[in-house]
Amino acid sequence: GAVVSQHPSWVICKSGTSVKIECRSLDFQATTMFWYRQFPKQSLMLMATSNEGSKATYEQGVEKDKFLINHASLTLSTLTVTSAHPEDSSFYICSAGEVKASTDTQYFGPGTRLTVL
Amino acid sequence: AQKVTQAQTEISVVEKEDVTLDCVYETRDTTYYLFWYKQPPSGELVFLIRRNSFDEQNEISGRYSWNFQKSTSSFNFTITASQVVDSAVYFCALSDGSSNTGKLIFGQGTTLQVKP
């Protein structure tokens, strides 16, 4: 149980285009999903907290107009990187927590590797 | 402020050796949760354990064991008889139990290399 999927697993795009990444909880409902960014050989940096049916809460320094988050249902959250540039190239990871309590364990997706040319 | 420190950046051991990964945390909260995650080369984070601040019992799961000591704010992870498949980056994380946001604060990670 507690499986989280991400799609696509990797994407290469041209500078200036937008890329959408999907995060799904496959066998449980998640009121809260989290989006992280990870640079090579570094730790995970929380970008935003996504709550079903409401606006996402962004961490300080994260541009909400550039990284659009939509949490349309209890099993799906999407991250859209708008007008991507090479500096947006990174490994993006989502996680989902079960409905029972927001402090319950987070289960992570396999990540999406974004390369912007 | 909350903080997680994993002082060991990289550890290299030979197969069958025991290895301990250190984790020290800082928090002013009385209710909090501590986690360990494994990130193999594939990139996916694998949940290993969660411990709440009121449960100081040590835990053993197969070759894995965890030592939680509130007095030293540490939550160390030991792998007994390490195997090549244990090679990965291991992250210790702290969750804020009082704010109920579920946000995790990650340490910098420890890269473990187990050589055959």
Side-chain angles (χ1 to χ4, degrees):
Chain A
V3 178
V4 177
S5 71
Q6 268 184 256
H7 178 80
S9 55
W10 60 271
V11 56
I12 300 173
C13 69
K14 292 181 179 180
S15 188
T17 60
S18 294
V19 175
K20 180 185 282 188
I21 302 170
E22 291 187 350
C23 177
R24 293 180 185 273
S25 56
L26 298 185
D27 51 1
F28 66 99
Q29 293 184 320
T31 49
T32 305
M33 290 185 172
F34 302 86
W35 288 95
Y36 295 85
R37 185 173 181 176
Q38 186 181 32
F39 290 106
K41 296 189 183 299
Q42 293 190 23
S43 188
L44 281 74
M45 182 192 78
L46 179 64
M47 298 174 66
T49 302
S50 168
N51 293 297
E52 186 265 337
S54 63
K55 291 183 178 180
T57 303
Y58 291 81
E59 295 299 301
Q60 194 171 10
V62 178
E63 299 175 61
K64 59 182 179 182
D65 293 332
K66 180 167 187 63
F67 299 100
L68 301 179
I69 292 173
N70 186 330
H71 193 154
S73 74
L74 285 173
T75 60
L76 173 65
S77 176
T78 60
L79 166 68
T80 301
V81 183
T82 63
S83 187
H85 290 285
E87 57 265 30
D88 298 323
S89 298
S90 188
F91 191 53
Y92 292 87
I93 310 173
C94 73
S95 71
E98 295 189 69
V99 171
K100 290 180 287 184
S102 64
T103 51
D104 261 2
T105 303
Q106 289 182 32
Y107 297 95
F108 286 79
T112 297
R113 193 163 301 281
L114 171 63
T115 301
V116 185
L117 303 177
Chain B
Q2 295 181 306
K3 185 179 179 181
V4 176
T5 302
Q6 293 179 255
Q8 304 149 309
T9 305
E10 294 184 15
I11 301 176
S12 181
V13 299
V14 176
E15 205 170 19
K16 297 185 182 178
E17 285 184 14
D18 298 346
V19 58
T20 295
L21 310 181
D22 297 333
C23 173
V24 174
Y25 63 92
E26 295 176 29
T27 181
R28 293 182 178 177
D29 296 318
T30 55
T31 302
Y32 53 89
Y33 299 84
L34 293 162
F35 301 80
W36 275 95
Y37 286 91
K38 173 183 179 181
Q39 187 177 39
S42 62
E44 181 173 359
L45 269 81
V46 177
F47 165 74
L48 295 179
I49 190 172
R50 180 185 80 163
R51 174 68 71 232
N52 75 53
S53 52
F54 298 108
D55 181 3
E56 284 194 75
Q57 276 193 328
N58 292 327
E59 183 158 336
I60 298 175
S61 176
R63 297 185 295 108
Y64 296 169
S65 62
W66 291 269
N67 183 357
F68 176 29
Q69 292 195 342
K70 288 181 74 171
S71 61
T72 56
S73 296
S74 65
F75 187 42
N76 297 338
F77 173 32
T78 297
I79 301 175
T80 303
S82 60
Q83 299 176 2
V84 173
V85 293
D86 295 327
S87 297
V89 181
Y90 290 85
F91 290 98
C92 179
L94 169 69
S95 172
D96 177 4
S98 60
S99 72
N100 217 32
T101 63
K103 290 164 67 170
L104 290 179
I105 308 298
F106 282 87
Q108 287 304 305
T110 297
T111 299
L112 173 64
Q113 183 181 32
V114 181
K115 299 178 181 178

